[in-house]
Amino acid sequence: MPAILLALIIPIIIGCASTVQQTEPIAECSSDEFRGFGVGENENEALAEAHSALARQINSSVNVTIERIVSQQISNGKENLNTGYESKTVIESALPNAHDARIARNKRNGNKTSVTVCMSKTDAAKGFLARQRLLEDSLSLASNTVVSTEHPKHKNEAWRKTQMLYNDFVRIQYLLDGWGVKSPYLANGIYSKSREDYRDYCGAAKLHWNPEKETPYSEITFSKLSNSIKIEKSPCNDRGISLTYKGSEPECSVKFGLNTCSYANSLSLNACDGTEYLQLKGDTMGAHQKPDFALEKLQSNFKSAEFWNQWLQEIKQWSPQCE
């Protein structure tokens, strides 16, 4: 072979070999470890990228676990912990204990540095265990509030918070169980205590319709509210809430050549012993050239008044969350 041709082939072979050597081998961590790989201009850049990749792998494991537990809860059919409540668990692709990751490989190839880091599941679990500890403390406080308070709105808020905290705790527990990491924190007993108390509360706490006077407007009000909220036409007793409806007679007068009618009404949320928790108010008007049509317009406007949504949203905060 001519010397000139040989001289051209050798650099090409060397260049290809150099390219192959820059590819980092994958098998650097044991099968029960998380792995992160990064490349940078120097060791610090490569290490930062490796830590970021490690965090993403851990985060991916978390997302898979959350999907698994949600699916199990939906298929269970007995108790879906997520019904009506949005979990506040936030999982970020960050690694607060990056220093616990060991450097398994650090190699310089030309002008690039590649780094492989490994982290045991025990070390990866540290941040989640810290989160569980905080959740256990918060869950205990919320659960105790459920049991200790008789104020309907406060009891509902505490129960809603208890469920969200418990959801977060259980999700992390599934994750840790999947990693084979034992948690020293407990939540089932705390949650069960408040759940049983709230179930007893649901059996006794009902909304009772109590109009001061039966009128077409009181019937419209009952129909509007009972379509969205469970309300009983029964005497208020025990831990229930009395919805006391009051409404004046429509007042009509001639204004600017039109017959104008107005109607003022209110709804009080009271304890069965008469203690008033809240009073909701509404005002409606209707106008027409003819007096009878003005009253019809008033009643039509009353049915579609804007205050109904505000009333419903407020009452729901006081209603037992028993479904």
Side-chain angles (χ1 to χ4, degrees), residues 1 12 17 71 99 142 156 206 247 277 291 316:
M1 182 181 294
I12 293 174
S71 298
H99 58 275
N156 291 341
K206 299 176 181 179
Y277 293 127
K316 285 179 180 179

Side-chain angles (χ1 to χ4, degrees), residues 10-20:
I10 291 174
I12 293 174
I13 295 174
I14 293 173
C16 293
S18 177
T19 301
V20 172

